[in-house]
Amino acid sequence: MATASPEPQAHGTRPPAGGTRASAPDTGTAPVSDGAPRPARAPGPARNVPRHKVAVLGAHLGGGMLAAVLARAGIDTVLVDSPHDADVPAGETTVPYTAEVFELLARRYDVPELSALGHFGELPEDVRRTSGVKRSIGFVYARPGSRVRPHQVVQFNVPSEHGESHLYRPDVDAWVHRLAVRHGAKAAPNRPVLTDVTGEAGDFVVELADGSAVGAEFVVDMSGPDAPLLGRLGPEPALRPLRHSSRVLTAHLRGVRPLEQRVDPGAGGTPWTGGTTQVVFPGGWMQLVPFGEDRTGEGALTSVAVSLDAKQWPQRSASPEEDFQHLVRQFPDLAWQFAGASAVRPWASAESWQYAATRTVGDGFVVLDRSAVRCDFTLSRDVTLTAELVHEAAAHLIAAARDGDWSAERFRPLETFQATLIEHGERLLRSALTATGDFRLWNAFCRVWLLHSMFAALSLKRARNDALATGDRPDQWRELGRHRGAGLWFPVYAGFVALFDDTDRLLRQVADQRLAPGAAAERIFGQLRTASFIPPLFGFGDPADRYYNFTPLKRLKVLLWAKRRAPHMVQRVLTPGATVLPSVER
């Protein structure tokens, strides 16, 4: 595959120029520090710099959303660009649960525009044009040396009211930055990137590449893996690889042939290019995210993210592009699909992609999101984690600003919350990689994952509406932020958490070779068939029912089932106010 010309500049973004992003050195994407202790930086000399209450480092989706929320709450906030804001594709596809977290951010913190991130039709027209509505989540199972078998595909078609999205991040991030400024966040002229942070709690100075600086009492560092505040958290390595990691290749390509021309979605399916497609194979997967209004032509832009178990798929070349070519040659359908593709956003890779910070809280600062964790792109976990962390961090920051308490101890619960979500992401990745070894097992696993997203979305919506119904009380949001299991932090039916835990346990047994993949798959399908909280018409317990299409008739049948037979807590999330019903309460 030849390398094409650079990707067209995003709408509303700024070109690299002296003193902006291009002026800061690129330190690469190696996620783990070398273990050498970083000396604590001494307070900088007294300078006449603009002073703010909070500085948010990292002007990407997460940083922009947090700055918008804080500014809307009346906190003097400055949003600072990082040299790593657009290093690699990330957070480009949502699921129903992601949409509900965006909606919660909009409603709880009174930034209504953020709900558009979960309702594609409400995004600005220029963002919609370069991004794209997501109509399905498809899984195509491939084996080295063989064509895809027609019965080894699964597709979940997204109900239209969700309006799930493919987010072209350059334009989305630029829009969220404008939104933050519109709500009162400050930004340095011409948006120079940060180069260092000096000073101490209550008197930080953020140095910028153009020689200017801004000051802040408190810093939220979301800048990336070489975050300047990581070195203040102790002599041990600032970042650690996760126990269950993978190596990752990413790029944006043009000339990717539509997969439906080679692999028939089947009688119950829709074209793969209408949504996110994950080509799954033993030891890994490839996620395809097409952008724009016309996604069926070979000129369409497609994001490609490959996640590989390094033991099964060791690196073959120092060049990420050559490594990708070697991979796709193993699969006839992928070789056909990428035969004429060319990169318009350079290939990036890392042998150990996922990382987590060993500590994340210090006096006067917190290390959050991409400075503290990088997770796999699969199943929309990356953008979902960002939204979850912004929601939780905002609550702690607004309370701390109200009380004037920026101590490390004040933010320990936020540190614990972030660590719990990181652990859940690692658990999900481990289970997914194990499930790739056998289509029967993946067929079962992906249904449990879809139920996770559905029940999480419905339960969060119910928790949000319950909180809003209580009025403006001090304990209005008390039910949100407490770990409930399965990575969820709001009231959820315990039976679902048990199903998720049982699936994880069975997959661990498969990974340890204590259980055959087919036996594990049958046990999972057995639980899906008998679970009292799953509407029978979904067909999740039938391995041959591989298409999820939620028609108006099915909606009514779910409502009748919920009223007559569902457990009480499930009934509450499936009655008016729930996303799956015809009357959608925002």
Side-chain angles (χ1 to χ4, degrees):
M1 292 179 294
T3 300
S5 57
E7 192 169 342
Q9 182 180 316
H11 299 281
T13 58
R14 62 207 183 285
T20 63
R21 185 182 307 279
S23 63
D26 183 357
T27 58
T29 59
V32 183
S33 76
D34 58 10
R38 304 183 187 182
R41 298 179 178 87
R47 296 174 60 182
N48 183 22
V49 300
R51 307 296 304 177
H52 304 278
K53 184 70 70 175
V54 176
V56 177
L57 311 184
H60 42 72
L61 176 62
M65 290 193 301
L66 183 59
V69 168
L70 297 180
R72 182 69 181 89
I75 299 172
D76 182 11
T77 303
V78 59
L79 179 58
V80 181
D81 286 71
S82 158
H84 299 296
D85 285 345
D87 272 358
V88 295
E92 297 176 324
T93 175
T94 68
V95 293
Y97 173 53
T98 323
E100 287 303 329
V101 183
F102 286 140
E103 184 71 20
L104 176 64
L105 280 166
R107 299 291 292 274
R108 179 174 182 177
Y109 299 116
D110 194 24
V111 185
E113 299 93 333
L114 292 179
S115 70
L117 291 165
H119 298 272
F120 183 79
E122 297 176 9
L123 286 167
E125 192 277 333
D126 60 328
V127 176
R128 294 199 309 272
R129 185 172 63 250
T130 55
S131 295
V133 67
K134 172 179 175 175
R135 296 184 176 88
S136 65
I137 305 167
F139 300 102
V140 175
Y141 195 78
R143 288 182 173 83
S146 302
R147 294 286 307 274
V148 170
R149 298 177 182 179
H151 65 281
Q152 293 191 341
V153 300
V154 182
Q155 188 180 74
F156 304 120
N157 288 288
V158 180
S160 60
E161 71 267 14
H162 289 299
E164 296 306 320
S165 306
H166 288 169
L167 301 175
Y168 182 62
R169 286 294 298 273
D171 285 357
V172 170
D173 289 7
W175 172 68
V176 174
H177 189 281
R178 295 194 299 271
L179 177 64
V181 172
R182 190 156 65 242
H183 279 282
K186 309 300 191 301
N190 300 317
R191 297 177 58 181
V193 298
L194 71 95
T195 57
D196 201 3
V197 178
T198 60
E200 58 189 9
D203 189 25
F204 286 111
V205 175
V206 181
E207 307 285 350
L208 304 177
D210 65 355
S212 65
V214 294
E217 293 181 23
F218 189 89
V219 176
V220 182
D221 193 336
M222 305 171 74
S223 60
D226 61 350
L229 291 177
L230 277 172
R232 299 191 180 209
L233 291 171
E236 69 273 9
L239 298 174
R240 62 174 176 85
L242 298 183
R243 293 187 304 276
H244 300 281
S245 191
S246 59
R247 68 187 194 92
V248 169
L249 309 169
T250 64
H252 282 176
L253 306 179
R254 290 197 190 277
V256 178
R257 292 171 172 169
L259 188 58
E260 56 265 23
Q261 294 180 9
R262 178 79 171 187
V263 178
D264 188 353
T270 58
W272 302 114
T273 49
T276 303
T277 303
Q278 195 157 305
V279 181
V280 181
F281 44 83
W285 49 74
M286 179 187 301
Q287 179 171 275
L288 306 175
V289 180
F291 294 115
E293 295 172 339
D294 179 14
R295 292 180 279 177
T296 59
E298 293 185 21
L301 183 67
T302 301
S303 174
V304 178
V306 182
S307 183
L308 301 168
D309 182 337
K311 294 179 181 178
Q312 297 187 57
W313 297 96
Q315 185 175 357
R316 297 289 183 176
S317 170
S319 163
E321 184 170 6
E322 291 178 4
D323 207 18
F324 175 78
Q325 291 176 351
H326 180 272
L327 173 71
V328 299
R329 284 197 294 268
Q330 312 303 307
F331 302 94
D333 296 306
L334 293 179
W336 171 87
Q337 188 178 18
F338 291 97
S342 56
V344 296
R345 179 171 185 162
W347 283 94
S349 67
E351 274 300 284
S352 182
W353 184 263
Q354 296 80 17
Y355 62 74
T358 53
R359 296 173 58 194
T360 57
V361 168
D363 283 328
F365 68 92
V366 61
V367 178
L368 197 70
D369 191 40
R370 59 177 58 183
S371 291
V373 57
R374 184 164 68 188
C375 61
D376 201 90
F377 299 121
T378 189
L379 307 176
S380 303
R381 187 64 207 140
D382 50 345
V383 68
T384 302
L385 178 63
T386 291
E388 290 175 310
L389 290 174
V390 168
H391 172 264
E392 183 70 8
H396 289 276
L397 289 161
I398 291 170
R402 179 193 63 217
D403 300 339
D405 178 7
W406 300 108
S407 67
E409 288 307 310
R410 178 65 182 258
F411 290 89
R412 293 295 177 202
L414 176 59
E415 182 176 51
T416 300
F417 181 87
Q418 182 168 232
T420 300
L421 292 186
I422 291 171
E423 190 277 333
H424 170 68
E426 185 176 24
R427 185 184 181 193
L428 189 64
L429 175 62
R430 177 193 65 205
S431 295
L433 282 172
T434 300
T436 62
D438 188 291
F439 173 73
R440 295 168 297 176
L441 192 53
W442 182 268
N443 193 17
F445 166 79
C446 71
R447 297 162 193 253
V448 175
W449 169 79
L450 179 65
L451 279 170
H452 185 282
S453 183
M454 291 171 58
F455 269 92
L458 294 167
S459 300
L460 181 57
K461 170 170 276 193
R462 173 52 67 192
R464 183 196 75 220
N465 287 340
D466 287 348
L468 291 171
T470 65
D472 189 14
R473 300 187 336 198
D475 62 348
Q476 181 180 15
W477 302 99
R478 70 181 184 277
E479 291 298 325
L480 278 70
R482 182 159 57 89
H483 180 55
R484 315 291 179 131
L488 305 175
W489 38 271
F490 41 82
V492 65
Y493 182 61
F496 169 73
V497 175
L499 171 66
F500 185 87
D501 289 343
D502 285 346
T503 299
D504 179 70
R505 176 179 54 80
L506 291 168
L507 286 162
R508 285 202 309 272
Q509 292 178 11
V510 173
D512 296 339
Q513 298 184 339
R514 292 182 288 122
L515 184 65
E522 183 50 41
R523 292 188 191 181
I524 295 170
F525 277 118
Q527 293 194 51
L528 292 172
R529 284 191 292 269
T530 60
S532 64
F533 56 91
I534 302 176
L537 64 88
F538 282 178
F540 281 176
D542 180 1
D545 191 347
R546 296 175 287 104
Y547 298 94
Y548 173 88
N549 291 291
F550 209 55
T551 63
L553 179 59
K554 285 187 176 181
R555 298 166 194 261
L556 295 175
K557 289 183 176 180
V558 167
L559 178 59
L560 291 173
W561 171 84
K563 288 184 174 181
R564 295 172 179 174
R565 297 181 56 190
H568 174 69
M569 191 168 183
V570 176
Q571 183 185 99
R572 291 198 74 238
V573 302
L574 290 177
T575 48
T579 321
V580 298
L581 295 180
S583 175
V584 180
E585 179 182 296
R586 291 285 298 279

